[in-house]
């Protein structure tokens, strides 16, 4: 039988397995060799199932003592098919086969070292070195494993503690959120009530707004009407001011009484006072002229606040008269009826005398005032005469008895001229 030679893949020294292989059956040897050679070509982790387990059982001591193949007497008790199916780390077990051990070593070496490209087969010394390395590494790994477990425990505790704290925090947060939810629900109810109140208020405000606009339109309409009225009032005021300005320049006496003359006959308000043989005037017109003259004298005396003594003047159109203020009041007519001229002529003359007396009283009172009245013709009330004191100095009687129409008419004209002066005087007084 020829010995089988191998080169150790670690130290490159030749290995002799003839003694070892000599103790084995040729079949077993071939199978072991074949498995040894093929094991290098198998995938890591695969297990070999060749060879009878009983003859392959050995321990590391026997391998190191020259690879003797003598079997241990107690090896028959070992389970035969489980010894070559597992790779056991740590101490070598007698149930391992060399092939399995080598494969295991190779796998472990490949796994752990990675850098060292060690292949099979390897010699016993290299195997021992490798095992020592593996043991050392295993110790380190176990230490790291313990450290890992310790730190894993610490981390787990810390994580548990953290998670517990987080859970407590979350429970507090949940309680707070529940409380907050209750408050939110309360707020929601309150807001709903507020919303309802706001809607009611909005409705009320809308009604008020509508009422406001109605009132506003009504007031606007009233405003326009008042504006129109104001414009109208302004126009009326403007017109009244114009009238007022015109009236201020107007004397009520001058506007009411117009005295002029047509030749020898004096005229008041278009009524002739007097008559001439050449210019006959009806008694009706003369009576009207006397009525206007009586009204003028009464207005003038009222203007200066004069109350006549002895007589009361009553102007009454063409039936004006004077009333005596004596104990026996007598009416003196300032008119003459055409058919009754003879009987009424005495009283008519007395009335004209009384009128002249009243005019004299007015003259005397007016002369006392500021800017006293100054008449051009003197009045002689006791004798009933008008004195033409300006030019001729003649006297003209105002009576009709024993008097000519020319003299009577002249006396009446002079009296009217005096009244014209009186009108101008009183008009000046009115404008002061
Ligand atoms: Zn070696």
């Amino acid at each position: 039988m020829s010995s089988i030679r191998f080169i150790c893949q670690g130290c490159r020294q030749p290995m002799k397995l003839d003694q070892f292989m000599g103790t084995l059956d040729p079949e077993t040897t071939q199978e072991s060799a074949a498995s040894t050679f093929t094991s290098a070509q198998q995938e890591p982790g695969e297990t070999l199932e060749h060879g009878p387990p009983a003859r392959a059982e050995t321990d590391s001591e026997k391998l190191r003592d020259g690879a003797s193949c003598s079997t241990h007497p107690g090896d028959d008790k070992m389970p035969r098919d489980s010894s070559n199916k597992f790779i056991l780390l740590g101490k070598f077990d007698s149930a391992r086969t060399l092939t399995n051990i080598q494969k295991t070593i190779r796998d472990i070496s490949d796994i752990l070292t990675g850098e060292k490209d060690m292949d099979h087969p390897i010699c016993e010394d290299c195997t021992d070195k490798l095992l020592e390395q593996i043991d050392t590494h295993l110790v380190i790994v176990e230490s790291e494993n313990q450290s890992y477990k310790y730190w894993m425990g610490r981390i787990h505790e810390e994580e548990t503690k953290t998670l517990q704290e987080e859970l407590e925090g979350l429970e507090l947060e949940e309680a707070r959120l529940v409380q907050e939810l209750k408050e939110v629900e309360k707020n929601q109810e309150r807001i709903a009530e507020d919303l309802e109140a706001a809607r009611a208020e909005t409705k009320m405000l809308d009604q008020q707004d509508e009422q406001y606009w109605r009132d506003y339109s009504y007031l606007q309409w009233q405003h326009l009407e008042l504006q129109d009225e104001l414009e109208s009032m302004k126009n009326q005021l403007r017109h009244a001011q114009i009238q007022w300005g015109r009236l201020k320049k107007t004397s009520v006496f001058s506007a009411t009484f117009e005295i002029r003359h047509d030749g020898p006959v004096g005229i008041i308000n278009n009524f002739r006072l007097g008559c001439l043989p050449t210019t006959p005037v009806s008694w009706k017109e003369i009576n009207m002229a006397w009525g206007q003259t009586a009204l003028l004298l009464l207005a003038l005396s009222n203007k200066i606040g004069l109350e006549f003594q002895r007589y009361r003047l009553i102007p009454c159109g063409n039936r004006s008269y004077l009333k005596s203020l004596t104990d026996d009041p007598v009416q003196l007519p300032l008119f003459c009826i055409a058919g009754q001229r003879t009987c009424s002529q005495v009283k008519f003359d007395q009335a004209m005398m009384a009128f002249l007396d009243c005019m004299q009283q007015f003259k005397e009172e007016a002369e006392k005032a500021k800017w006293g009245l100054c008449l051009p013709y003197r009045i002689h009330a006791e004798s009933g005469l008008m004195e033409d004191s300006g030019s001729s100095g003649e006297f003209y009687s105002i009576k009709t008895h024993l008097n000519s129409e020319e003299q009577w008419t002249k006396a009446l004209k002079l009296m009217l001229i005096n009244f014209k002066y009186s009108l101008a005087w009183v008009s000046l007084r009115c404008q002061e």
Side-chain angles (χ1 to χ4, degrees):
M1 178 176 176
S2 62
S3 63
I4 300 171
R5 291 184 182 276
F6 295 99
I7 300 297
C8 175
Q9 297 299 312
C11 61
R12 293 298 176 183
Q13 296 295 321
M15 293 192 306
K16 290 182 180 179
L17 297 181
D18 51 347
Q19 186 180 359
F20 171 70
M21 293 301 291
T23 60
L24 296 176
D25 293 335
E27 187 182 351
T28 303
T29 306
Q30 288 175 354
E31 286 179 0
S32 297
S35 66
T36 301
F37 288 122
T38 56
S39 64
Q41 300 167 354
Q42 287 177 343
E43 292 297 321
E46 289 186 2
T47 56
L48 298 176
E49 297 180 354
H50 301 287
R55 282 175 285 186
E57 288 173 353
T58 181
D59 55 24
S60 57
E61 293 295 330
K62 290 178 180 178
L63 284 171
R64 281 194 295 268
D65 293 337
S68 64
C69 62
S70 61
T71 56
H72 197 275
D75 286 343
D76 292 333
K77 297 178 182 178
M78 296 293 292
R80 291 174 177 265
D81 54 350
S82 63
S83 62
N84 59 352
K85 287 185 179 179
F86 300 98
I87 300 172
L88 298 178
L89 299 176
K91 293 182 177 178
F92 285 105
D93 195 275
S94 58
R96 293 180 178 178
T97 63
L98 177 61
T99 306
N100 287 338
I101 290 169
Q102 288 178 337
K103 182 179 183 300
T104 301
I105 291 170
R106 181 183 57 83
D107 291 342
I108 291 171
S109 176
D110 290 343
I111 291 169
L112 296 179
T113 61
E115 298 174 357
K116 194 172 182 179
D117 189 13
M118 191 174 290
D119 206 350
H120 295 92
I122 53 175
C123 67
E124 188 178 346
D125 294 335
C126 291
T127 301
D128 291 339
K129 290 178 183 176
L130 185 57
L131 285 173
E132 286 175 1
Q133 290 179 1
I134 288 170
D135 286 339
T136 305
H137 203 83
L138 186 60
V139 169
I140 293 171
V141 168
E142 281 182 350
S143 173
E144 287 180 350
N145 187 31
Q146 291 296 324
S147 177
Y148 172 77
K149 284 180 180 176
Y150 169 75
W151 286 111
M152 281 297 291
R154 286 285 302 271
I155 291 170
H156 180 69
E157 285 178 2
E158 290 179 359
E159 283 184 349
T160 303
K161 187 178 178 184
T162 305
L163 288 173
Q164 188 66 30
E165 290 175 355
E166 193 173 343
L167 179 62
E168 290 175 358
L170 288 173
E171 284 175 353
L172 289 174
E173 180 74 10
E174 183 187 12
R176 189 182 63 78
L177 288 174
V178 168
Q179 185 65 27
E180 195 172 329
L181 180 62
K182 288 180 182 176
E183 291 179 0
V184 167
E185 287 175 348
K186 285 182 183 176
N187 285 340
Q188 190 177 9
E189 291 177 0
R190 186 174 53 78
I191 288 170
E193 291 175 358
D194 291 348
L195 181 63
E196 190 65 28
R199 281 176 180 161
E201 191 176 358
T202 303
K203 187 178 179 183
M204 186 187 69
L205 288 174
D206 286 343
Q207 290 175 351
Q208 285 183 351
D209 186 58
E210 192 177 345
Q211 183 64 35
Y212 164 76
W213 281 110
R214 275 202 295 269
D215 294 347
Y216 176 76
S217 301
Y218 176 69
L219 290 173
Q220 191 75 11
W221 178 71
Q222 276 191 330
H223 174 69
L224 292 174
E225 278 210 331
L226 287 173
Q227 267 192 332
D228 289 346
E229 195 173 340
L230 179 63
E231 287 298 322
S232 172
M233 292 301 291
K234 282 181 179 175
N235 287 332
Q236 289 182 27
L237 177 64
R238 201 174 299 118
H239 176 71
Q241 282 175 336
I242 293 171
Q243 290 289 96
W244 169 245
R246 192 177 300 163
L247 286 174
K248 276 203 295 188
K249 297 173 184 172
T250 304
S251 167
V252 62
F253 287 95
S254 300
T256 308
F257 299 100
E258 183 198 17
I259 293 174
R260 57 191 174 88
H261 62 91
D262 181 14
V265 182
I267 301 172
I268 177 169
N269 288 351
N270 293 326
F271 296 112
R272 288 173 293 184
L273 186 60
C275 65
L276 294 170
T278 55
T279 313
V281 179
S282 68
W283 276 108
K284 189 177 180 181
E285 184 176 349
I286 293 170
N287 293 339
M288 284 297 297
W290 266 118
Q292 294 295 310
T293 309
L295 181 63
L296 172 58
L297 179 58
L298 184 65
L300 289 172
S301 61
N302 287 338
K303 181 65 182 174
I304 64 171
L306 171 66
E307 286 191 5
F308 296 120
Q309 297 175 358
R310 297 179 287 278
Y311 302 102
R312 184 180 173 197
L313 185 59
I314 299 170
C316 192
N318 58 353
R319 288 295 185 269
S320 300
Y321 58 93
L322 289 95
K323 185 180 284 185
S324 173
L325 296 179
T326 57
D327 295 337
D328 182 20
V330 178
Q331 286 195 2
L332 303 173
L334 264 178
F335 57 90
C336 191
I337 300 172
Q340 303 172 352
R341 183 178 177 185
T342 308
C343 60
S344 63
Q345 193 170 10
V346 177
K347 286 193 173 181
F348 182 52
D349 284 346
Q350 289 178 352
M352 289 191 288
M353 291 278 287
F355 185 87
L356 209 59
D357 183 15
C358 291
M359 188 177 176
Q360 177 70 17
Q361 291 181 41
F362 167 74
K363 170 183 171 294
E364 289 172 357
E365 187 68 23
E367 281 175 348
K368 298 175 185 174
K370 188 182 179 184
W371 307 104
L373 173 63
C374 184
L375 295 178
Y377 303 110
R378 293 181 64 183
I379 301 167
H380 301 276
E382 299 81 6
S383 54
L385 296 174
M386 293 296 298
E387 181 185 350
D388 187 3
S389 54
S391 55
S392 60
E394 293 182 5
F395 295 89
Y396 301 96
S397 175
I398 202 168
K399 292 189 289 190
T400 57
H401 184 61
L402 302 175
N403 195 8
S404 66
E405 288 184 335
E406 291 85 356
Q407 293 285 313
W408 180 63
T409 301
K410 178 70 175 180
L412 293 178
K413 184 183 175 184
L414 295 179
M415 183 188 72
L416 282 182
I417 291 171
N418 273 353
F419 272 124
K420 193 173 176 70
Y421 274 77
S422 300
L423 276 177
W425 175 79
V426 83
S427 295
L428 286 173
R429 279 175 59 94
C430 288
Q431 291 176 2
E432 286 178 358

